[in-house]
Amino acid sequence: MTWWRDAVIYQIYPRSFSDSNADGVGDLNGVRHRLRYLEWLGIDAIWLSPIFPSPMRDFGYDVSNFVDVDPTFGSLRDFDLLVREAHELGIRVLLDWVPNHTSSEHPWFLDARSSRTSRHRDWYIWRDAKPDGSLPNNWIHAWSDEPTWTWDELTGQYYLHMFLADQPDLNWSNPEVRDAMSETLRFWLERGVDGFRMDVVHAIGKDVDHDDPADLRLLSHTPLNDVDVTHEYLREIRRVLEEYEGDRVSIGEVYLLDPVRVATYYGHGDELHLSFNFKSLFTAWRASAWLDTIGETESALGPVSAWPTWVLSNHDNARVATRLGGQERVRAAMTLLLALRGTAFLYAGEELGLEDAIVAPEQVVDPGGRDGCRAPIPWDDHEDHGWPAGAWLPFAGDASRFSVQRQEESSGSTLQFTRRLLALRRNSKVLRSGETENLHVQGDVLVFDRVADDEVLRVLVNFTGSTHPVDLVGSTLVISSVDRPTPGELAANEAAIYRVR
Ligand code: NOJ
């Protein structure tokens, strides 16, 4: 078994994690200082959202140099220390590689836009206006209903950007771009990173000379982009990772909501090692909805031997507590996440059951309006919550009560519960790698078994606000998301795992 199949990967949004130099923004030394906490929690790997030099228009997803660390976060030396210390504790380190676009301040783009004949002109995607003066195609930008094209006055052409105009898309059909981007991977692989989360990697190939269908016209182009040539590029990327020992992993942010389409990005074991399954993030909190999501995922990925992944939140979407409401449901959702067959992604702060911060209009800094779920981690219940200079975004409500310190001290906390779940999964072969069987719903209770050899664990999740009888004679309770479970019954919003055999 490769390590990443068994893993729980913990997403750190570095700006909001831990601030070592009291400037209000988290940094790499902040992460280093919290490694003991992460070891205690029991996760296997950390994925750091981008740490590269950036003008921060999209808070690091606009990269102006792929092979350095932004001074906000520290230095390459700090990064090397972080990797070394994490590895000493058995924690792997993944970076967030942003291959689809650069910052408009990247030297490649500065050169590209300097003239039509510049050395890097063809590293980006330029088009003339159509003969009637209209835009090159009808694609829509990710966070608004604006076009993905911006007119460049100096050189008299449009350039493509699926995100901000400050994030021009790279032209992956140019082999020089592919080589240069491979070099950026090698730079970090040499420094010992264990792999990459790859930002909107399904979008690197493009069919720019076609419009999106008329009935999808108001949708952002990002979740529609799905073209054959991307698979060739992914095979090249895979070969770069395979130049290195030690199971380096590629995890694609394949932002497509259909597991059948997502499955194609694993190739025949020669493209991505893993892909995000965003269907899980957007599945409503209902047994029937989860039945469909799990069933569709298993049947799309199983036949092609692609390993599933599960995610409930990240830096782009509302936190679980905000989305589902209440700690009972958070704990039930954590149980489900960690009991499913596949690699699990845990967004920093979910182990605390944090909610999104309420961000007043004048405090909004993100162009996509995603500030609430990026609220800083409250480390303790002092006034500053471990952020001596205050933090770049407001804290979530009740930060003291949700702080790491307060929850470490209370055995009934969401943090301690998540820690117990993580330990259970780590020590249970059947939870890590067993098959999923017997998937069904009883009323609004989801039921499935994890099965390996002669072991069977039954997972039950009650999605309702009322109790539900369970017939599990002869089974023993392994873990429950409520403090005092009642035998023979699931409490409202309870998730439980029983040993059947
Ligand atoms: C997806 C990332 O998760 C998001 O935060 C970012 O804004 C876009 N890709 C563009 O890089």
Side-chain angles (χ1 to χ4, degrees):
M1 275 292 233
T2 33
W3 69 269
W4 40 266
R5 285 183 162 236
D6 286 3
V8 176
I9 300 177
Y10 183 89
Q11 181 193 356
I12 291 180
Y13 193 70
R15 300 181 72 84
S16 302
F17 192 66
S18 179
D19 177 13
S20 74
N21 62 350
D23 64 356
V25 177
D27 46 53
L28 292 176
N29 284 327
V31 179
R32 273 177 61 214
H33 298 156
R34 303 295 177 182
L35 284 172
R36 289 276 168 202
Y37 165 72
L38 297 174
E39 184 201 23
W40 171 86
L41 180 61
I43 50 87
D44 301 291
I46 54 176
W47 140 36
L48 301 169
S49 281
I51 56 166
F52 317 112
S54 164
M56 302 287 169
R57 308 270 156 68
D58 188 13
F59 296 105
Y61 287 94
D62 48 327
V63 180
S64 55
N65 179 356
F66 288 101
V67 291
D68 203 350
V69 170
D70 192 280
T72 315
F73 299 122
S75 63
L76 279 171
R77 190 176 163 276
D78 299 332
F79 179 76
D80 291 340
L81 280 175
L82 170 62
V83 172
R84 195 168 78 214
E85 290 175 16
H87 284 173
E88 280 165 9
L89 297 176
I91 296 174
R92 291 186 158 85
V93 180
L94 309 181
L95 284 179
D96 202 325
W97 187 58
V98 189
N100 179 66
H101 44 265
T102 69
S103 157
S104 53
E105 292 179 26
H106 194 295
W108 298 341
F109 190 70
L110 294 178
D111 179 54
R113 79 185 320 177
S114 67
S115 88
R116 286 205 190 195
T117 55
S118 70
R119 156 106 178 72
H120 294 93
R121 181 69 173 181
D122 189 39
W123 285 40
Y124 294 85
I125 301 170
W126 301 92
R127 286 290 182 279
D128 294 329
K130 282 192 183 154
D132 66 0
S134 63
L135 293 166
N137 67 27
N138 68 355
W139 294 1
I140 298 290
H141 171 291
W143 303 310
S144 69
D145 49 11
E146 297 291 315
T148 53
W149 297 97
T150 287
W151 181 251
D152 183 56
E153 275 302 333
L154 180 69
T155 59
Q157 279 189 311
Y158 285 104
Y159 66 89
L160 179 82
H161 53 91
M162 300 220 299
F163 296 89
L164 301 175
D166 308 302
Q167 292 166 295
D169 283 29
L170 282 165
N171 175 15
W172 273 75
S173 71
N174 180 342
E176 285 191 325
V177 168
R178 301 205 294 280
D179 287 348
M181 291 306 285
S182 292
E183 279 308 305
T184 68
L185 289 173
R186 291 190 185 99
F187 177 88
W188 296 105
L189 290 163
E190 302 282 345
R191 296 193 105 88
V193 303
D194 299 283
F196 303 89
R197 179 262 192 191
M198 300 185 169
D199 192 68
V200 287
V201 75
H202 72 294
I204 57 180
K206 292 184 179 76
D207 185 6
V208 177
D209 299 312
H210 282 99
D211 282 346
D212 283 334
D215 55 330
L216 301 174
R217 274 189 64 181
L218 289 176
L219 273 186
S220 145
H221 183 71
T222 314
L224 305 176
N225 198 89
D226 182 19
V227 297
D228 285 348
V229 71
T230 301
H231 299 279
E232 256 172 56
Y233 306 154
L234 290 176
R235 287 190 285 275
E236 275 188 49
I237 292 169
R238 174 71 170 247
R239 287 197 290 275
V240 174
L241 266 66
E242 286 177 351
E243 291 166 14
Y244 294 80
E245 305 267 294
D247 268 342
R248 316 292 176 104
V249 67
S250 53
I251 307 166
E253 193 211 14
V254 176
Y255 196 81
L256 301 171
L257 301 180
D258 174 1
V260 173
R261 299 304 313 150
V262 171
T264 65
Y265 285 79
Y266 291 75
H268 303 282
D270 55 357
E271 297 184 25
L272 295 169
H273 295 91
L274 292 175
S275 168
F276 276 94
N277 174 14
F278 285 105
K279 193 161 170 93
S280 58
L281 202 151
F282 298 119
T283 297
W285 193 243
R286 282 201 315 272
S288 56
W290 274 95
L291 178 78
D292 289 350
T293 292
I294 299 167
E296 278 176 37
T297 303
E298 290 276 359
S299 59
L301 271 55
V304 291
S305 302
W307 187 248
T309 69
W310 303 98
V311 62
L312 297 180
S313 62
N314 61 26
H315 64 295
D316 293 330
N317 294 282
R319 284 192 175 278
V320 174
T322 300
R323 196 149 52 84
L324 305 184
Q327 293 302 302
E328 285 178 349
R329 285 185 171 184
V330 170
R331 292 182 206 189
M334 287 298 123
T335 312
L336 176 61
L337 175 72
L338 295 169
L340 285 165
R341 187 182 81 97
T343 304
F345 289 86
L346 187 64
Y347 178 40
E350 293 298 38
E351 75 275 24
L352 305 172
L354 265 193
E355 292 177 1
D356 288 1
I358 294 170
V359 183
E362 66 278 10
Q363 294 171 308
V364 168
V365 289
D366 175 49
R370 299 159 295 184
D371 307 271
C373 62
R374 299 174 178 181
I377 301 296
W379 290 99
D380 57 44
D381 54 12
H382 297 116
E383 209 177 319
D384 66 14
H385 304 305
W387 292 75
W392 72 295
L393 282 175
F395 287 93
D398 240 350
S400 291
R401 184 159 72 90
F402 284 102
S403 71
V404 172
Q405 181 192 11
R406 195 76 84 79
Q407 295 203 45
E408 275 176 349
E409 287 161 4
S410 152
S411 66
S413 64
T414 299
L415 172 60
Q416 292 282 7
F417 174 68
T418 307
R419 180 171 181 252
R420 286 197 292 279
L421 270 176
L422 287 164
L424 173 69
R425 175 176 162 121
R426 182 172 275 189
N427 295 320
S428 163
K429 182 163 172 274
V430 67
L431 279 184
R432 292 194 320 268
S433 56
E435 295 300 323
T436 306
E437 289 180 10
N438 189 27
L439 175 69
H440 66 283
V441 294
Q442 291 170 6
D444 214 11
V445 173
L446 177 76
V447 185
F448 60 93
D449 290 345
R450 299 296 310 281
V451 181
D453 306 324
D454 52 0
E455 228 188 319
V456 180
L457 292 184
R458 181 154 303 164
V459 183
L460 300 114
V461 186
N462 181 3
F463 288 79
T464 70
S466 47
T467 57
H468 190 279
V470 283
D471 179 15
L472 279 164
V473 182
S475 308
T476 47
L477 181 65
V478 178
I479 197 165
S480 160
S481 64
V482 301
D483 285 342
R484 271 182 286 279
T486 312
E489 187 175 277
L490 281 177
N493 301 313
E494 177 180 354
I497 303 178
Y498 283 82
R499 176 169 300 285
V500 174
R501 244 189 0 249

